[in-house]
Amino acid sequence: MDYSGRGWLSDTRPYFFLSYAHTPAWGPSRGDPDHWVYVLYKDLCDNIMHLTDLPAGASAGFMDREMHSGDGWPEKLAEHLAICRVFVPLFSPRYFTSEMCGREWYAFNERVLRARAAGAGNLPAIVPALWSHVGYDQLPESVRHIHVDHAAFGARYADEGIYSLIKLNRLRDEYEETVMQLARRIVQVAHDSPLPSCQPRRYENTPSAFKPRGEGPRSIHLTVAAPTLHTIPEHRDRRPYGEHPHDWNPYPEESARALPGLAEELIRSLDYRVTVASFDDEDTGPEPLALPEDDKPPGRPGILLVDPWALDDEERCRRLSAFDTNTRPWINAVVPWDRSDPQCQSEEGKRLTDKLERTLPLTLDRGRRTDCRIAVNGVPTLTAFTDVLPKVVAHATKQFFKHATPHPVAGQHVPRPRLTGPTPSTLPQARDTTMEEKHGRGS
């Protein structure tokens, strides 16, 4: 199957992937708890078939309900996430606590980010629908960048969602109008901003875009150690660099975007709050990397994105070495190293990678003792970078919670409750038996 998108000139790909949270069965003889979601799906498909020229036998959409046990559902999910033109998540409070929905969102959003990196421009290929009311404060960080104008579909829809419209017969007209508008929106986005297909991402290895239930806000700090056009060696190819370290693009053959910006979006799509700073700045941000004078307890994990060509600057090299001497387990490194760049594969490139080994020995060794060792051994392609970054983020976060000093809660200290044995005051009072009483009982 051709996943490039070129093989779909008479495009028969499904128009949409319906992502929804399965409602658990909660009582006897209640029937299918997701019956009404399936009704919505069929109505959307019906409208889209009338609005497009899809041939007979083509699927207008995809919903996992149509898969059966033993059908290899992870592979089918991954395949449809890689080829469907538009992603339609059904927003509900349950949706953002579903790991399955989080994986579907991440896989599709990663596809969008890769297409944008390749120069596809802005692709609004995620079209949310409101199944039941969700407040803005209930949305994860990974979702808040998606602009949704629910009011355009009607005031009642914006207040209550599709579930209320579909359940009440008196609101049937409003339901049908909402579904028609949603179908038109799906078709418009698919035609105006065509999203190329891609190779399916293994569902089992896909992280969730939503943090686990009950976990508080998550933050991470990304620091970029890279030269600029003004600080690279004279013989170095200028294409990967710009006026600022944030402009660094180590994969110019694959991407039209700077890597720090892409990394920031990928991390945010994992439901993190992200800050980005340059290692060259005197203050590397609210949570700087650990240098010798920094003995304050950390507030979050961090990632060092490092270009070996940055080591030609001796002052920067000295500071990186100082960082490594005082390295912390929750600061992990990622070393992009483009295998298609002749200079990276040259003797000069080998000299720089050897210098990197001498400059960051502790950080690199720690990275090689994880399941994401490619991150420090040289990430050869943009695809490999987007694959490994979630693993690095997860490992840094795990190490942060394992090693970092917890901050005490502000306010008056409350002693920790303890279980204790009975005290003398709570024991039954023994009768004071005197010698006279003993003799009296015996007489």
Side-chain angles (χ1 to χ4, degrees), residues 181-232:
Q181 289 192 57
L182 181 57
R184 286 173 177 163
R185 176 65 177 157
I186 291 169
V187 173
Q188 179 186 7
V189 169
H191 289 174
D192 293 351
S193 305
L195 177 66
S197 298
C198 68
Q199 290 293 333
R201 195 189 209 287
R202 286 190 62 187
Y203 179 81
E204 298 89 340
N205 295 339
T206 301
S208 173
F210 312 143
K211 62 178 176 286
R213 185 194 298 266
E215 189 174 301
R218 302 188 295 186
S219 299
I220 202 163
H221 186 66
L222 181 68
T223 302
V224 184
T228 67
L229 283 172
H230 308 291
T231 60
I232 57 172

Side-chain angles (χ1 to χ4, degrees), residues 71-153:
D71 281 351
W73 66 266
E75 292 79 10
K76 288 197 172 184
L77 274 179
E79 179 179 314
H80 282 87
L81 285 166
I83 65 174
C84 283
R85 312 186 209 194
V86 176
F87 184 73
V88 181
L90 285 187
F91 280 12
S92 68
R94 192 183 300 279
Y95 186 83
F96 300 112
T97 63
S98 167
E99 181 179 0
M100 183 175 179
C101 295
R103 289 186 180 192
E104 292 169 357
W105 182 291
Y106 183 87
F108 192 88
N109 187 64
E110 182 187 48
R111 176 182 159 199
V112 172
L113 293 180
R114 285 182 176 177
R116 288 178 55 195
N122 186 32
L123 295 168
I126 298 178
V127 178
L130 193 64
W131 183 245
S132 57
H133 180 75
V134 179
Y136 181 80
D137 59 340
Q138 293 177 273
L139 299 180
E141 294 290 331
S142 52
V143 171
R144 293 185 178 185
H145 69 287
I146 302 292
H147 175 69
V148 183
D149 184 12
H150 291 307
F153 292 85

Side-chain angles (χ1 to χ4, degrees), residues 72 132 158 171 174 185 195 211 225-226 232 236 263 267 305 310 316 334 343 355 398 416 426 436 438:
S132 57
L171 300 179
E174 290 187 51
R185 176 65 177 157
L195 177 66
K211 62 178 176 286
I232 57 172
R236 174 62 176 142
I267 296 172
L305 200 59
R316 188 186 296 121
V334 181
Q343 289 185 318
K355 190 172 184 179
K398 180 180 179 180
R416 186 176 181 180
T426 61
E436 290 78 6
K438 289 180 182 178

